[in-house]
Amino acid sequence: MTNTASTTLPLADIQLQIAPGIWPLAWGWWVLIAALLAATLLAIFLLRQRAQRLQARNEALNQLTQADSLAAINALLKRAALSYFDRDLVAGLTGSTWLAFLDSQLPAIKQGFVAQNELWQKGIFANVALSDAELATCKALAETWLKQALPPSSKPIDSNATKEANHV
């Protein structure tokens, strides 16, 4: 005689635990979040700093399109140079020393201010206005200088171009 009713045990169903969620985060995720936040803040800071450094150059380039005389172009170049270089170095420069300073900030292949010295002197001091072609040449030189020389690199400034102005 077999007793079939007594062979089953009175067991309860298995209760599974809830799957772990993503919160609270493990310490590795916190480190990753902090690194991404720091990288984002650093990128924003560097982009703002670059925009501030280029602000004077961009404003000068915008004003260059409206310049209608060589005196206006020359004054614009002087203001832009004063924005980036030491006032003692730039403020006293005039004539050929000013043009030599402008050329000293450009790569050798882009220089042309000293070569056009007569044109600059004629345009600034003569009573006769420059022709459209001459003014376009001067504007092209000024635009090249604004784009290539500003903001200045960290290399030292060639002081040979300004020695004469310092000893006057």
Side-chain angles (χ1 to χ4, degrees):
M1 313 231 222
T2 61
N3 191 357
T4 60
S6 65
T7 60
T8 60
L9 297 174
L11 296 176
D13 288 338
I14 296 175
Q15 298 282 330
L16 295 177
Q17 292 181 352
I18 299 174
I22 64 167
W23 199 259
L25 294 176
W27 67 270
W29 288 108
W30 285 110
V31 170
L32 180 65
I33 290 170
L36 289 174
L37 183 63
T40 303
L41 291 176
L42 179 66
I44 290 170
F45 174 75
L46 291 176
L47 288 173
R48 272 188 150 176
Q49 192 175 27
R50 182 178 184 272
Q52 287 175 351
R53 232 181 32 236
L54 295 177
Q55 182 179 6
R57 181 189 82 168
N58 292 339
E59 187 175 323
L61 284 169
N62 288 338
Q63 290 178 3
L64 181 63
T65 59
Q66 300 168 356
D68 56 352
S69 68
L70 187 60
I73 295 170
N74 194 42
L76 182 67
L77 288 174
K78 184 74 88 159
R79 282 194 313 269
L82 285 171
S83 296
Y84 288 100
F85 297 100
D86 188 27
R87 179 171 286 285
D88 294 334
L89 176 69
V90 176
L93 297 177
T94 58
S96 60
T97 56
W98 167 242
L99 298 176
F101 169 78
L102 292 174
D103 270 346
S104 71
Q105 302 306 313
L106 290 173
I109 197 164
K110 302 278 187 175
Q111 293 179 358
F113 287 95
V114 174
Q116 298 289 337
N117 186 13
E118 291 180 23
L119 178 63
W120 283 86
Q121 298 302 328
K122 173 187 165 190
I124 293 175
F125 296 114
N127 290 337
V128 180
L130 292 176
S131 68
D132 290 338
E134 291 172 331
L135 189 61
T137 301
C138 293
K139 272 189 178 184
L141 277 172
E143 182 177 2
T144 300
W145 190 82
L146 289 170
K147 288 181 178 178
Q148 298 289 321
L150 298 181
S153 63
S154 60
K155 70 177 181 176
I157 297 172
D158 181 20
S159 62
N160 292 335
T162 60
K163 280 185 179 177
E164 184 176 309
N166 291 337
H167 293 291
V168 174

